[in-house]
Amino acid sequence: MENRTEISDLGEFGLIDHLTKNFETYNVSTIETVGDDAAVMDHFGKQTVMTTDLLIEGIHFDLMYTPLKHLGYKSVIVNLSDVYAMNAQPTQITVSLGITNRFSVEALSEFYEGVYAACEKYKVDLVGGDTSASKKGFIISVTAIGEVAPDQYIKRSTAKKGDLICVSGDLGGAFLGLTLLEREKKIYMENPKVQPDLEGEDYIVGRILKPEARKDIIEFFEKQQLHPTAMMDVSDGVSSEVLHLCKKAGLGCKVYEDKLPINEATRQAAFKFGLDPTVCALNGGEDYELIFTIRQEDHDKIVLNEEISVIGYMTDLEEGCKFLTKGGNTFDITAQGWKAF
Amino acid sequence: MENRTEISDLGEFGLIDHLTKNFETYNVSTIETVGDDAAVMDHFGKQTVMTTDLLIEGIHFDLMYTPLKHLGYKSVIVNLSDVYAMNAQPTQITVSLGITNRFSVEALSEFYEGVYAACEKYKVDLVGGDTSASKKGFIISVTAIGEVAPDQYIKRSTAKKGDLICVSGDLGGAFLGLTLLEREKKIYMENPKVQPDLEGEDYIVGRILKPEARKDIIEFFEKQQLHPTAMMDVSDGVSSEVLHLCKKAGLGCKVYEDKLPINEATRQAAFKFGLDPTVCALNGGEDYELIFTIRQEDHDKIVLNEEISVIGYMTDLEEGCKFLTKGGNTFDITAQGWKAF
């Protein structure tokens, strides 16, 4: 190997593109593969989606402030969120763990309590997994599969010019919850006698430690007979996801600052930390909301749902990806999201 | 948490039983869950199986003597083996990786070359995955799904008294390949100028570094219209798997030393290391052969297949699990397999 390309030169999506570009498929049942929230397979009338996530201690979570039960719950949720982002209903999951010998059975049981709580709430079945030793750190790998009626799954790439860009729920809370927990950890490390001060911060702490997946939004679509033109979940941050929707569709967009849904608790927390709530909402990540595009004529179908906000619309590629501030300024949207390498 | 139970007190199967004992399922499509090689789901006429394995550097592989291409290949194979062990045909896989920054894109490409080679050989499709940073060590999580005609999947638990116990291929080779590689590593660590001496050991080294999954055996069953009464793959070692088949069925067994299939290269390597080939065959693990039971009246269907050996038969529970040596002695079979904790 004479050449050495750093992974950071490519980024996650570049890396995946690079590694999968020449791959062909063999099964007629394989409909969609790498590059979306989940794969799609044709299974005799209905279609199956499949998605997987790897969570690694020290990268994706810190056991110092993450209760194991919450971690088990969240490990399931992040996968279900990907299934919903395909407009599918999750049905089964597998959970594989790599565990060090510092874990007791009781600790693992707590983790599984969280897994089961998520399974119960979202009516999915834990159907398997693999338990292994790990030399260092707790490793969690979850795979979820789900069902969708034929060709009703929604890709990231199919937005059209003029479509409205919508998000569910509100943004930035998870990032501020994480910021708070990191601050309290730092204080504790410096002085273990100081008790963490999380009072009044239930909302943002809940957003990072116990996120939910937007099953309700998918059910709302079905009830309203609304078929978004494109969809993905918000895991890296809305900026990053918007750019992804635009790039995949070969379009530009306009997103409006005053349309970004930000919870009052998130806004207050941002001010307390001296952060701009808008920046937190755009780049925060881990909100596990849905971002989707709809035809303009479908606007009436969503207008009464308080859990859905229209934040902008898709434009021609030439117009670029623009963010319009409350003050009337226009900026290029840049992704501050996934920077794990 | 006042109680602390060490994971080693339970073992892998005990741990899984403990963690999953009170879990109920929600989807009518969920047929079989935790406790077999793969889960089974009913998908509109055919059934889907799903299995997952986690491979962790320093626990499951050593990059010092494992070429990345072989590791990619093997990561897929160990999962396909679980799908075949259900009497199913694998169709899709996902591959998730946790990688440290010592990995270059070229190194990862080598890994994926192996993944693709396995996909091509076994005609399965890579449909997704997740790539993440890892703080320490290379982490690989593969999930495979496959198809099986309704109710043609084969469980571990359904052997009957009198059934013949069969294994595919030969046993112990992977363990001796690993022993050889570990010896050469030790020599190299002590004196880096000494080149590894693997001459003439292609067979055993191939068994550990580039195992195959027994697609041919599943196809043979179909051709012969043979339906084994129970089946699993040999990953931990035949002793461990035989005990598992017996325990799940509530039966005993007799296994004959002179019936154990051992390749001549494996036998020679064992002698060279001063090891008993029989012990290597019984307890070695990682052979990825299939062990299955058939009705006695089906014996004629397998007798001409040189890749299948009858090694014993199932007995009443009261007779215990017995190993009969060439010298005429009888021992209780004990599991020396999975001891990762």
Side-chain angles (χ1 to χ4, degrees):
Chain A
M1 286 187 290
E2 296 204 349
N3 297 316
R4 181 179 166 97
T5 312
E6 295 303 325
I7 286 160
S8 54
D9 296 344
L10 295 179
E12 183 186 19
F13 297 117
L15 179 64
I16 293 169
D17 286 350
H18 177 84
L19 294 172
T20 58
K21 65 186 168 192
N22 293 319
F23 187 60
E24 52 179 331
T25 62
Y26 303 101
N27 294 284
V28 289
S29 63
T30 304
I31 302 176
E32 301 287 341
T33 65
V34 182
D36 217 301
D37 297 281
V40 179
M41 290 149 284
D42 195 2
H43 274 130
F44 329 108
K46 275 205 177 183
Q47 288 170 350
T48 302
V49 306
M50 184 176 185
T51 181
T52 188
D53 264 302
L54 191 59
L55 302 175
I56 300 171
E57 184 179 348
I59 304 285
H60 301 98
F61 57 89
D62 186 329
L63 287 179
M64 196 156 163
Y65 52 69
T66 311
L68 283 165
K69 188 174 169 180
H70 286 70
L71 184 59
Y73 193 87
K74 184 170 176 174
S75 304
V76 177
I77 294 300
V78 301
N79 281 277
L80 302 188
S81 181
D82 278 326
V83 173
Y84 293 124
M86 299 299 289
N87 198 35
Q89 287 289 350
T91 48
Q92 284 92 8
I93 58 165
T94 59
V95 175
S96 294
L97 302 180
I99 45 185
T100 61
N101 56 12
R102 93 192 130 110
F103 271 71
S104 65
V105 173
E106 288 75 17
L108 266 185
S109 295
E110 274 191 61
F111 178 85
Y112 272 90
E113 268 181 50
V115 169
Y116 289 146
C119 285
E120 194 184 344
K121 177 155 185 181
Y122 291 88
K123 302 291 177 247
V124 302
D125 298 322
L126 176 68
V127 296
D130 183 26
T131 310
S132 161
S134 162
K135 283 186 102 163
K136 192 155 194 283
F138 187 32
I139 300 163
I140 307 159
S141 175
V142 178
T143 301
I145 69 173
E147 296 174 1
V148 59
D151 300 321
Q152 294 299 300
Y153 64 90
I154 300 174
K155 299 174 66 168
R156 297 177 172 184
S157 58
T158 38
K160 295 279 178 299
K161 182 186 166 186
D163 286 351
L164 303 175
I165 304 169
C166 308
V167 293
S168 64
D170 55 75
L171 303 168
F175 173 75
L176 282 156
L178 181 64
T179 304
L180 175 66
L181 291 170
E182 287 283 349
R183 184 194 69 177
E184 293 302 318
K185 176 184 171 181
K186 191 157 168 275
I187 293 171
Y188 176 84
M189 299 291 271
E190 283 162 8
N191 187 349
K193 282 180 190 160
V194 178
Q195 289 299 303
D197 175 20
L198 304 178
E199 207 182 305
E201 306 290 10
D202 299 359
Y203 185 75
I204 59 170
V205 171
R207 290 292 282 171
I208 185 71
L209 293 185
K210 193 173 176 288
E212 300 290 349
R214 298 310 304 247
K215 181 187 178 74
D216 59 323
I217 299 292
I218 302 309
E219 289 171 347
F220 174 77
F221 292 157
E222 198 182 0
K223 204 173 138 205
Q224 294 289 92
Q225 300 203 300
L226 172 65
H227 195 78
T229 52
M231 182 156 62
M232 65 187 296
D233 75 338
V234 182
S235 51
D236 291 344
V238 155
S239 289
S240 169
E241 324 303 11
V242 161
L243 288 175
H244 203 73
L245 292 175
C246 287
K247 189 185 163 199
K248 287 260 182 179
L251 295 173
C253 69
K254 283 197 168 55
V255 172
Y256 295 86
E257 181 180 15
D258 61 355
K259 302 293 184 191
L260 289 178
I262 301 176
N263 185 286
E264 188 51 30
T266 302
R267 199 177 294 277
Q268 292 302 327
F271 291 137
K272 214 154 86 180
F273 285 112
L275 298 170
D276 180 348
T278 297
V279 174
C280 297
L282 282 176
N283 300 325
E286 293 235 61
D287 289 315
Y288 298 106
E289 297 295 344
L290 294 172
I291 181 168
F292 53 94
T293 54
I294 62 169
R295 286 176 294 269
Q296 290 185 18
E297 56 264 39
D298 284 334
H299 182 253
D300 286 353
K301 292 184 178 176
I302 60 154
V303 74
L304 290 177
N305 189 330
E306 290 182 357
E307 290 294 313
I308 296 175
S309 305
V310 179
I311 63 167
Y313 62 95
M314 304 299 285
T315 63
D316 273 330
L317 180 63
E318 295 70 39
E319 297 189 47
C321 298
K322 301 294 182 187
F323 184 68
L324 286 76
T325 68
K326 290 173 189 168
N329 293 312
T330 301
F331 294 98
D332 284 332
I333 299 175
T334 53
Q336 305 285 331
W338 195 83
K339 283 266 175 66
F341 292 104
Chain B
M1 285 188 291
E2 297 205 349
N3 296 315
R4 182 179 165 97
T5 312
E6 295 303 325
I7 286 159
S8 53
D9 295 344
L10 294 179
E12 183 186 21
F13 297 117
L15 179 64
I16 293 168
D17 287 349
H18 176 84
L19 295 172
T20 58
K21 64 186 169 191
N22 292 319
F23 188 60
E24 50 180 332
T25 61
Y26 303 101
N27 294 284
V28 289
S29 63
T30 303
I31 302 176
E32 302 288 341
T33 67
V34 182
D36 217 302
D37 297 282
V40 179
M41 289 149 285
D42 195 3
H43 275 128
F44 329 108
K46 275 203 178 186
Q47 288 169 349
T48 302
V49 305
M50 183 177 187
T51 181
T52 188
D53 264 302
L54 190 60
L55 302 175
I56 299 171
E57 184 178 350
I59 304 285
H60 300 98
F61 58 89
D62 187 330
L63 287 179
M64 195 156 165
Y65 52 70
T66 310
L68 283 166
K69 187 174 170 181
H70 286 69
L71 185 59
Y73 193 87
K74 184 170 176 173
S75 303
V76 178
I77 294 299
V78 301
N79 281 277
L80 302 189
S81 181
D82 278 326
V83 174
Y84 292 125
M86 298 299 290
N87 198 37
Q89 287 288 350
T91 48
Q92 285 92 8
I93 58 166
T94 60
V95 175
S96 293
L97 302 180
I99 46 186
T100 61
N101 56 13
R102 92 191 130 111
F103 271 73
S104 66
V105 173
E106 287 75 16
L108 266 185
S109 294
E110 274 191 60
F111 178 85
Y112 272 90
E113 269 181 48
V115 168
Y116 290 145
C119 285
E120 193 184 344
K121 177 153 185 184
Y122 291 88
K123 302 291 177 244
V124 301
D125 298 323
L126 177 67
V127 295
D130 183 26
T131 310
S132 161
S134 162
K135 283 186 102 162
K136 190 154 195 281
F138 187 32
I139 300 163
I140 307 160
S141 175
V142 178
T143 301
I145 70 173
E147 297 175 0
V148 59
D151 301 321
Q152 293 299 300
Y153 65 88
I154 300 174
K155 300 174 66 169
R156 297 177 171 183
S157 57
T158 38
K160 295 278 180 295
K161 183 187 164 184
D163 286 351
L164 303 175
I165 304 169
C166 308
V167 293
S168 65
D170 56 75
L171 303 168
F175 173 75
L176 282 156
L178 181 63
T179 304
L180 175 65
L181 291 170
E182 285 285 348
R183 184 193 69 178
E184 294 301 319
K185 176 185 170 180
K186 192 158 167 273
I187 293 170
Y188 176 84
M189 299 290 272
E190 283 162 7
N191 186 350
K193 284 180 188 157
V194 179
Q195 288 299 304
D197 175 21
L198 304 178
E199 206 182 303
E201 306 291 9
D202 299 0
Y203 185 74
I204 59 169
V205 171
R207 289 293 280 173
I208 185 70
L209 292 185
K210 194 172 176 290
E212 299 290 350
R214 298 311 303 246
K215 181 186 177 74
D216 59 323
I217 300 292
I218 302 307
E219 290 172 346
F220 173 78
F221 290 157
E222 197 181 1
K223 203 173 137 204
Q224 293 290 92
Q225 299 202 298
L226 173 63
H227 195 77
T229 52
M231 183 155 62
M232 64 187 295
D233 76 338
V234 182
S235 52
D236 291 343
V238 154
S239 290
S240 168
E241 324 303 12
V242 160
L243 288 177
H244 204 73
L245 292 175
C246 288
K247 190 186 163 196
K248 287 260 183 179
L251 296 173
C253 71
K254 282 199 167 55
V255 172
Y256 295 87
E257 181 180 16
D258 62 355
K259 302 293 184 192
L260 289 177
I262 301 175
N263 184 285
E264 188 53 30
T266 303
R267 200 177 293 277
Q268 292 300 327
F271 290 138
K272 214 152 87 179
F273 286 113
L275 297 170
D276 180 347
T278 298
V279 174
C280 297
L282 282 176
N283 300 325
E286 292 235 60
D287 289 315
Y288 299 105
E289 296 295 345
L290 293 172
I291 181 167
F292 53 94
T293 53
I294 61 170
R295 285 177 295 268
Q296 290 186 18
E297 55 264 40
D298 284 333
H299 182 252
D300 286 353
K301 292 184 178 175
I302 60 154
V303 73
L304 290 178
N305 188 330
E306 289 183 358
E307 291 293 315
I308 297 175
S309 305
V310 178
I311 63 168
Y313 62 95
M314 304 299 283
T315 63
D316 273 329
L317 180 64
E318 296 70 40
E319 296 189 48
C321 298
K322 300 296 181 185
F323 184 68
L324 286 76
T325 68
K326 290 174 190 168
N329 293 314
T330 302
F331 295 98
D332 284 331
I333 299 175
T334 52
Q336 305 286 329
W338 195 82
K339 284 266 176 66
F341 291 103

